Amino acid sequence: MKKKPPLVRGTEFSDDHRVRLLQGAEELFPALILAMDAALSDIQFETYIFDFTGSGAAVAEALMRAAQRGVRTQLVVDGVGTGALPEAWAGRLQAAGVRYSVYSPLGPLGLLLPHRWRRLHRKLCVVDGHLLFCGGINVLDDFHDPNHGTLDAPRFDFAVRATGSLVAAASDTMDQLWWRMQAVQTMRGARLRRLPEALQALRAASAASHAARLDGAAGPPMRAALVLRDNVRNRSRIEKAYRRAIGTARHEIIIANAYFMPGGKLRRALVLAARRGVRVRLLLQGRYEYFMQYHAARPVYGALLEAGVEIYEYAPSFLHAKVAVIDARGERPWATVGSSNLDPLSLLLAREANVVVEDGAFAADLRQRLVHAMQHAGRRMDPARYAGRPLRQRVLDRIAFGLMRLALWVTGNRY
């Protein structure tokens, strides 16, 4: 029997993957629905936000169709990002046979209890144990925002569709969370109960043809890995993956991040890269969304700008991407797409999942999309203008930064 990747810790790099980049819900949702409609045995789904407005409803309908034809369908949503499902939709999902659960629902004290700050922020879907969707895209229509209404331009975000050995690691970590939430026995025992030998045989017999039907001409295999962050054994794997890649960069670093407040080690890695001649460009949130995330990020810009890092603010719509590409044209291209922001909430508190790909064609594709966004939708930050920003804004920035550090101290984290 083929040995599976180690549980929870994520896979090591291997060369048996095919990974396709998807931009926005406009590209992700049709691929996701196609896979769900072709599912043979089971669908595992986790998301921070599940919003049923617009195209989000089409994803829900696909889940229900799968459950109605006997596919085992499990859905986990976060208790803050989604909260309790709308009553009408909850009834429909339950009637269709979709099994769903809310991760860490808020009690009467809400977020006043520090342990409630540990959220399920990853966005993962595994279909029939061999096809993975992973990224930063919630089940949320590109042109809709729950807090701001209709958007003039689509949200800027990415995901991937992947096959290969990393899918088993994603399935395992989702299973572990599901059965832990269901308060039953260990994951492996539960998995044997839900996947009898006959079903395993069906999956093995159909996996190759099923993957080919969904992926089509997917191109040559790629070197890739799944990198997880949780609060047990994987506390810093995503941040370390970023720091290793930044530390070995020779030519170029491009990072697009919605909520950017890197800790000291990560900031120093970016500064050192810029000082040794690497071109470092950051594409960051340019629209005001939340007080803390917007203002707490500003105080870290000064040292980066002083070192020569280029900062671009994305303004047409909300930037929600959590991606990076390093040395796309070099000998060792590196790219990542996932759910983890470079801020303390993601790097210290939340469950996150990123796919890392070491492939020139994939890195070049992601790089081209990011460069286009910087050139056509990004406003480059002028260091002199940043230094001379109004006193009121600087005060708000410092207040937010201080509150963020205080919150981390309360949770026992240093950043």
Side-chain angles (χ1 to χ4, degrees):
M1 177 180 288
K2 184 178 178 181
K3 184 179 179 181
K4 289 189 175 183
L7 292 178
V8 180
R9 292 182 63 81
T11 63
E12 300 300 324
F13 276 97
S14 59
D15 299 319
D16 63 338
H17 301 98
R18 287 181 169 84
V19 186
R20 177 184 169 189
L21 183 65
L22 303 167
Q23 183 171 338
E26 184 179 15
E27 292 186 5
L28 171 63
F29 288 1
L32 194 58
I33 291 168
L34 177 66
M36 290 179 179
D37 282 340
L40 299 172
S41 60
D42 62 291
I43 297 172
Q44 300 163 276
F45 203 145
E46 293 179 358
T47 185
Y48 181 67
I49 297 174
F50 202 123
D51 186 277
F52 298 87
T53 304
S55 60
V59 177
E61 295 284 356
L63 276 172
M64 290 188 290
R65 286 196 298 271
Q68 286 169 341
R69 65 175 186 271
V71 173
R72 185 179 182 90
T73 306
Q74 296 176 178
L75 169 65
V76 182
V77 300
D78 183 76
V80 170
T82 302
L85 297 181
E87 185 175 346
W89 280 102
R92 291 186 62 193
L93 290 167
Q94 188 172 19
V98 175
R99 303 180 65 193
Y100 71 86
S101 188
V102 179
Y103 178 86
S104 190
L106 295 181
L109 296 180
L111 292 172
L112 292 178
L113 300 175
H115 72 274
R116 293 293 188 190
W117 300 349
R118 303 182 184 278
R119 308 312 312 172
L120 176 70
H121 194 245
R122 62 196 187 195
K123 294 87 179 172
L124 293 171
C125 180
V126 171
V127 178
D128 287 350
H130 69 262
L131 182 60
L132 168 68
F133 295 88
C134 174
I137 304 173
N138 290 292
V139 180
L140 183 62
D141 190 280
D142 273 345
F143 287 89
H144 170 72
D145 186 271
N147 298 314
H148 300 271
T150 302
L151 303 177
D152 295 329
R155 194 177 289 100
F156 189 68
D157 207 348
F158 293 94
V160 296
R161 183 179 66 177
T163 59
S165 56
L166 63 77
V167 182
S171 180
D172 282 347
T173 194
M174 295 170 78
D175 252 349
Q176 186 183 62
L177 179 63
W178 175 265
W179 292 111
R180 182 177 295 167
M181 292 174 66
Q182 302 305 309
V184 295
Q185 296 180 3
T186 62
M187 179 195 72
R188 290 195 179 280
R191 168 173 258 186
L192 289 174
R193 285 194 299 274
R194 81 176 181 87
L195 291 179
E197 292 182 3
L199 183 55
Q200 290 186 19
L202 171 64
R203 174 181 291 178
S206 63
S209 61
H210 192 188
R213 183 168 68 254
L214 292 175
D215 286 329
M222 302 176 183
R223 181 173 169 80
L226 178 72
V227 186
L228 301 169
R229 204 222 77 86
D230 57 40
N231 297 300
V232 184
R233 300 178 64 189
N234 302 301
R235 291 178 178 271
S236 59
R237 282 175 60 86
I238 291 178
E239 182 180 0
K240 286 180 178 178
Y242 265 97
R243 293 209 317 262
R244 281 195 298 267
I246 291 168
T248 58
R250 296 183 178 182
H251 309 291
E252 179 185 59
I253 298 169
I254 302 176
I255 297 173
N257 220 242
Y259 309 126
F260 183 80
M261 187 184 164
K265 291 181 180 180
L266 196 50
R267 291 201 304 271
R268 285 192 291 274
L270 290 169
V271 168
L272 289 173
R275 288 178 176 170
R276 68 174 182 264
V278 177
R279 187 180 186 186
V280 182
R281 287 182 280 181
L282 307 177
L283 180 62
L284 306 178
Q285 184 74 269
R287 296 183 63 170
Y288 187 95
E289 188 174 9
Y290 304 111
F291 171 81
M292 288 294 292
Q293 285 89 340
Y294 184 86
H295 284 287
R298 265 58 191 166
V300 309
Y301 291 176
L304 297 173
L305 290 168
E306 184 178 348
V309 174
E310 302 171 32
I311 298 178
Y312 297 81
E313 293 188 309
Y314 187 86
S317 187
F318 289 115
L319 182 146
H320 196 255
K322 305 98 167 54
V323 302
V325 58
I326 296 176
D327 289 348
R329 299 172 176 173
E331 295 179 359
R332 298 187 61 184
W334 185 95
T336 186
V337 177
S339 65
S340 181
N341 290 293
L342 298 181
D343 77 335
L345 295 179
S346 280
L347 296 178
L348 296 176
L349 297 173
R351 291 177 180 268
E352 306 282 5
N354 278 36
V355 170
V356 176
V357 183
E358 295 181 350
D359 180 82
F362 182 91
D365 184 12
L366 178 57
R367 180 188 183 276
Q368 184 274 327
R369 299 187 196 217
L370 296 180
V371 170
H372 182 272
M374 285 187 288
Q375 291 177 343
H376 298 279
R379 299 180 304 221
R380 183 170 178 178
M381 183 175 291
D382 177 59
R385 189 177 64 183
Y386 168 82
R389 66 197 190 281
L391 176 62
R392 180 179 180 276
Q393 183 175 342
R394 283 183 282 160
V395 170
L396 290 174
D397 294 347
R398 283 296 169 183
I399 290 173
F401 187 78
L403 289 173
M404 182 70 77
R405 293 184 68 95
L406 176 62
L408 294 175
W409 178 80
V410 169
T411 63
N413 288 289
R414 300 176 66 182
Y415 198 53

